[in-house]
Amino acid sequence: MTPGLVVIGELRDGRPTEASREAAGVAYQLAAGAPVTGLLFGSPEDSLTSSWARDGISEVCFLPPPTDAARQAGALIPGVLSVLSERSAELVLLPSTTFGRELAGGLAARWDAGAATGVTAIHRGAAGWEVRRPVFGGRATETRSLSGPRAVVALRPRAFPAPEPRDLPGASTQRSMPEVGAVAKGPTLVGTEPVLTGEGPALGDATIVVAGGRGVRSADQFHLIEELAAALDAAVGASRAVTDAGWRPTSLQVGQTGRTVTPQLYIAVGISGAIQHIVGMIGSRVIVAINSDASAPIFKVADYGIVGDLFQIVPALLAEIRRVRGR
Ligand SMILES: Cc1cc2nc3c(=O)[nH]c(=O)nc-3n(C[C@H](O)[C@H](O)[C@H](O)COP(=O)(O)OP(=O)(O)OC[C@H]3O[C@@H](n4cnc5c(N)ncnc54)[C@H](O)[C@@H]3O)c2cc1C
């Protein structure tokens, strides 16, 4: 019998996020023709159901979104468990975001399942699901077997291609689940702080990230990084030297004690490439480094390097990008 496969998605601006679409694509491949259930937290909407259906989801279940008082992922677990039990699910896939990782851990514990987060490959092995994921800040990759009948696997965003929209036969069905009264025990949310990200796309979702380091010299000169980012429709990132100096908020920090980003293109400007920075951006598809010191460690991980003064190179790049893009 084909294992029940459930994808838990996240919504942004009323649509499944790219990472949720990627998870749906992986599930569709693994299911090999068997139905895949999608699960969203929100109000049932036909447009949502049909857009996710094109990624390979055959049915979408909607659970009530978390209330303000219990926003944590843990509060959603009882509702998720009821969907898993109705579908005789064996595998749950979800994006390895902050929300997804929190949900994955709590869900696996309550569902008595194996779990893995930050996964970049998955296939059916002899003893169960086998997953691969980077460890030690991307310096090694481990293969892990999730033996046992059930598994919760959080997939690293952008590690899998977004599925090509398919013209799948049959309409997807949607079901509104009843309000689930029981709330899982867990940490209580005591407050939230707005994340200051500035203009442009959010750092965690951006296809392009332009990050500046101490080489930019001062808070006043950091606008060069922001202009380059704006010209490329990119998010702005920063090294810890920049955020420690108070030039820009810590929400822009990339690295071990900041954000982990995996854009298609990461442009590091005036960043030396300390290991604590590298671990936060090494998953980027293409890395470009601009640094005046040819021996800077950032060049060891860069696909393309420009050795020179950023105060000459960035304005020249900006002028050329604006010319090409007609802005
Ligand atoms: C526990 C711990 C956690 C940490 N977490 C993080 C983290 O999350 N993120 C992070 O980034 N760091 C982190 N760090 C700090 C990290 O070790 C580095 O100190 C930091 O990344 C350095 O930032 P930087 O590259 O901007 O500055 P620097 O190392 O000072 O490098 C500046 C670079 O700019 C270049 N430069 C100077 N002038 C120019 C110019 N005109 N044109 C072009 N290039 C120029 C220089 O050649 C140099 O390579 C952490 C450290 C510790 C101990």
Side-chain angles (χ1 to χ4, degrees):
M1 189 179 140
T2 320
L5 230 152
V6 173
V7 178
I8 301 177
E10 293 175 42
L11 294 173
R12 182 165 305 113
D13 300 329
R15 303 171 57 163
T17 59
E18 277 303 293
S20 307
R21 296 192 56 223
E22 291 160 13
V26 173
Y28 181 78
Q29 298 290 343
L30 293 174
V36 177
T37 298
L39 178 53
L40 292 171
F41 303 101
S43 312
E45 274 177 40
D46 287 346
S47 58
L48 276 177
T49 305
S50 55
S51 78
W52 220 15
R54 284 194 291 276
D55 294 330
I57 298 289
S58 15
E59 130 184 273
V60 182
C61 293
F62 289 91
L63 281 171
T67 62
D68 274 353
R71 200 193 290 269
Q72 329 83 302
L76 303 167
I77 290 173
V80 176
L81 286 172
S82 72
V83 174
L84 300 186
S85 131
E86 278 179 23
R87 303 288 176 297
S88 307
E90 290 184 15
L91 176 65
V92 173
L93 297 179
L94 70 173
S96 196
T97 54
T98 307
F99 170 80
R101 287 194 298 271
E102 188 187 340
L103 183 57
L107 182 61
R110 296 281 303 273
W111 196 37
D112 196 17
T117 58
V119 166
T120 53
I122 175 168
H123 73 275
R124 183 67 118 162
W129 295 103
E130 259 181 28
V131 298
R132 284 168 67 76
R133 60 179 189 164
V135 290
F136 302 120
R139 289 179 165 195
T141 303
E142 76 168 12
T143 301
R144 181 178 283 253
S145 176
L146 300 174
S147 52
R150 298 163 170 176
V152 180
V153 175
L155 305 174
R156 188 169 176 151
R158 293 184 207 284
F160 301 88
E164 289 292 324
R166 297 177 178 86
D167 193 11
L168 292 168
S172 62
T173 56
Q174 61 177 352
R175 286 190 39 194
S176 185
M177 304 298 295
E179 187 85 32
V180 178
V183 171
K185 288 201 176 77
T188 305
L189 184 74
V190 289
T192 55
E193 283 175 36
V195 175
L196 303 172
T197 53
E199 300 195 347
L203 191 52
D205 295 334
T207 311
I208 305 176
V209 173
V210 179
R214 192 173 357 231
V216 177
R217 288 193 203 145
S218 72
D220 288 347
Q221 318 234 55
F222 205 81
H223 70 88
L224 267 182
I225 304 300
E226 286 155 347
E227 282 176 46
L228 183 56
L232 291 166
D233 297 320
V236 174
S239 72
R240 181 160 160 180
V242 167
T243 57
D244 275 358
W247 298 351
R248 287 300 180 268
T250 49
S251 52
L252 299 189
Q253 185 181 314
V254 172
Q256 182 184 322
T257 42
R259 302 290 303 266
T260 298
V261 295
T262 52
Q264 300 289 324
L265 173 63
Y266 187 88
I267 305 180
V269 185
I271 292 178
S272 59
I275 183 63
Q276 296 90 352
H277 185 82
I278 300 288
V279 294
M281 43 67 87
I282 191 71
S284 308
R285 193 146 290 172
V286 174
I287 298 170
V288 174
I290 302 172
N291 198 301
S292 52
D293 177 4
S295 64
I298 191 77
F299 289 123
K300 294 203 174 104
V301 297
D303 299 285
Y304 300 95
I306 306 173
V307 179
D309 182 358
L310 71 91
F311 293 100
Q312 292 177 357
I313 292 163
V314 173
L317 261 178
L318 255 173
E320 188 59 11
I321 291 165
R322 285 176 178 153
R323 189 187 66 77
V324 170
R325 302 191 112 190
R327 291 181 179 179

